[in-house]
Amino acid sequence: MTIAASAPKPTIYHAFAVWRFVAALIVMMYHFVHLSDDWRIWVPWLENMMPLLDLFFMVSGFLIYERYRHHLGNLKSFGTFLYKRLARLYPLHLITTTFFVLLGLGWEAGLIRAENGPYLFDWSALPANLLLLQAWGTTEWLSFNFPSWSLSAEWLCYLLMPLVVFIAARSGIPGLIFGAVIAYLLALFVIAQGWSAAQSIAEMKSWGALRGLGSFFIGAALVRFVEISTFRMRSHLVGQFAMGITVWLMFQPVAYGYILAALGGTLWLAALAERDNPDGMAWLRPGLPLFAVSFGIYLWHPILEAFFLKGVWRIIEPIVDFRIDWLFIPAALGTIIVALVSHALLEKPTGDWLIDRLRGRKTRHALAARTALMEGGR
């Protein structure tokens, strides 16, 4: 009797999950402190850590390339890949964007106040937002649910995934690094031409797809680096220490490229530790459901900001004697709670349902083909 070999369990990258979660919290607080009386202190301080956005794209490139590189052999499989990614990400994007559309209608009707209304509710940019094109240079500024520019950048990376796989197969790590360099050079060209208001790659958002693509290429290259690394790394503390050094570098007057290299090296060390000592951070596994909602925190926090820091604050400001900063706590906790509930009751069920519909169609088509074959053989 032949016993089929079970498929190897996918590696759980605990450090990646924690870092993405912390980065999402930092981005959330960065947007909150714009409303603080001390914003001149906190905004520049937190802006030093904006390269953590590249961490999102590097981790995404690593995980997506590792998982899907062998499953994009033809146009049909590529279409399935895109469908599954949209099923996981687009429902929440659509819901949060719809919220801002409703806010925009309220602003147009004079029911709510918004000092940045002409920019936030730029109706000419709505199609680009819905089609996930707002980070491709199609809009002059961010609008509606503004953090979704990173989802737009991610979408470009998904569309170019066959190119990433092709380059990796033909040219390996040098080809992937070259792809990253080309993406960053294009970003610098956009800045030099004055097409973007950003003064550096770290500030790019309306053209952020180029920045995201470069980091995505690096993430894919890191998968190959891990595979060819022969020495063993059992300590997870090395990666954590490297991340601390990388964050410290963000506050130093060093070139952006060095920070990107430090981020890449940090992810490489953490991935090696997960490969060689997969249970070394097992104590974090109970927290994985919390860490998994970083995407939800990223998209939900502007809505909780609008509710607590603009809606609630305007009501209670005349009758309280404390600063708005104290509302950052319920706004942050509310965001995390909403993200958890959204993931459990909206994103995962909706994504599963959409993917099940695809699997159902495949099953029906396979049964139909089998039936036709059997009838043809009679």
Side-chain angles (χ1 to χ4, degrees):
M1 182 177 64
T2 302
I3 301 176
S6 59
K9 293 182 179 180
T11 302
I12 300 175
Y13 295 97
H14 305 82
F16 291 4
V18 173
W19 293 340
R20 284 200 298 188
F21 179 76
V22 172
L25 295 180
I26 291 172
V27 171
M28 174 178 65
M29 294 308 300
Y30 169 71
H31 290 138
F32 286 179
V33 299
H34 278 76
L35 301 172
S36 171
D37 293 337
D38 297 324
W39 67 269
R40 290 181 179 85
I41 297 174
W42 292 112
V43 169
W45 190 81
L46 286 170
E47 280 179 345
N48 289 306
M49 289 187 279
M50 285 303 99
L52 287 175
L53 289 168
D54 296 287
L55 173 72
F56 284 111
F57 299 118
M58 286 187 190
V59 170
S60 178
F62 187 102
L63 298 177
I64 293 295
Y65 177 76
E66 182 186 57
R67 179 174 179 181
Y68 290 103
R69 56 179 158 167
H70 300 307
H71 303 284
L72 299 175
N74 52 54
L75 189 60
K76 183 178 179 181
S77 60
F78 177 52
T80 299
F81 162 74
L82 292 179
Y83 179 88
K84 288 182 176 180
R85 298 315 302 158
L86 282 177
R88 294 299 183 194
L89 303 178
Y90 196 80
L92 182 56
H93 168 64
L94 182 60
I95 288 174
T96 53
T97 301
T98 299
F99 174 85
F100 278 92
V101 168
L102 294 175
L103 278 185
L105 293 174
W107 174 75
E108 293 282 2
L111 301 177
I112 63 172
R113 288 185 296 161
E115 292 77 9
N116 60 342
Y119 302 97
L120 184 61
F121 307 121
D122 180 1
W123 300 105
S124 66
L126 182 57
N129 278 267
L130 292 174
L131 295 173
L132 295 177
L133 303 176
Q134 68 269 37
W136 298 17
T138 59
T139 61
E140 192 172 349
W141 48 71
L142 300 181
S143 55
F144 298 97
N145 194 14
F146 46 91
S148 65
W149 73 266
S150 61
L151 185 55
S152 170
E154 190 88 356
W155 179 234
L156 177 64
C157 296
Y158 295 161
L159 290 173
L160 295 180
M161 187 60 186
L163 176 63
V164 175
V165 173
F166 176 80
I167 291 174
R170 289 299 183 92
S171 305
I173 294 173
L176 292 170
I177 297 299
F178 181 74
V181 170
I182 292 298
Y184 291 132
L185 287 177
L186 286 174
L188 291 174
F189 177 77
V190 166
I191 294 173
Q193 295 300 310
W195 299 342
S196 170
Q199 300 300 309
S200 67
I201 295 178
E203 299 174 11
M204 294 191 82
K205 294 180 177 66
S206 61
W207 281 88
L210 294 174
R211 167 192 186 181
L213 181 61
S215 297
F216 193 90
F217 265 110
I218 292 177
L222 290 174
V223 175
R224 306 295 290 269
F225 269 118
V226 170
E227 290 175 342
I228 66 172
S229 299
T230 56
F231 66 93
R232 298 184 65 79
M233 170 66 68
R234 294 191 56 82
S235 174
H236 290 266
L237 291 178
V238 176
Q240 302 302 320
F241 179 77
M243 178 55 77
I245 295 297
T246 300
V247 172
W248 175 79
L249 278 177
M250 295 177 189
F251 289 85
Q252 309 306 313
V254 299
Y256 183 65
Y258 291 116
I259 296 175
L260 290 175
L263 278 173
T266 297
L267 294 180
W268 173 65
L269 291 170
L272 283 177
E274 298 285 7
R275 181 197 68 181
D276 297 334
N277 185 14
D279 295 323
M281 297 186 78
W283 57 274
L284 282 174
R285 287 175 190 167
L288 289 179
L290 173 63
F291 305 143
V293 302
S294 56
F295 174 63
I297 291 172
Y298 196 71
L299 287 192
W300 277 115
H301 81 263
I303 295 177
L304 275 295
E305 174 187 324
F307 176 76
F308 281 102
L309 308 184
K310 295 175 182 176
V312 172
W313 178 247
R314 284 173 179 169
I315 295 173
I316 68 173
E317 183 180 13
I319 59 176
V320 298
D321 60 354
F322 58 80
R323 292 158 46 124
I324 191 175
D325 303 56
W326 287 103
L327 283 183
F328 295 170
I329 297 174
L333 291 176
T335 297
I336 295 172
I337 292 171
V338 169
L340 285 166
V341 173
S342 170
H343 184 266
L345 302 181
L346 171 66
E347 298 159 56
K348 192 175 187 306
T350 303
D352 290 344
W353 183 85
L354 290 170
I355 292 173
D356 285 344
R357 301 287 75 73
L358 177 66
R359 290 171 179 162
R361 284 199 302 271
K362 286 184 175 180
T363 301
R364 289 192 296 271
H365 291 164
L367 289 174
R370 185 181 303 172
T371 301
L373 181 62
M374 291 175 63
E375 291 179 347
R378 290 176 182 172

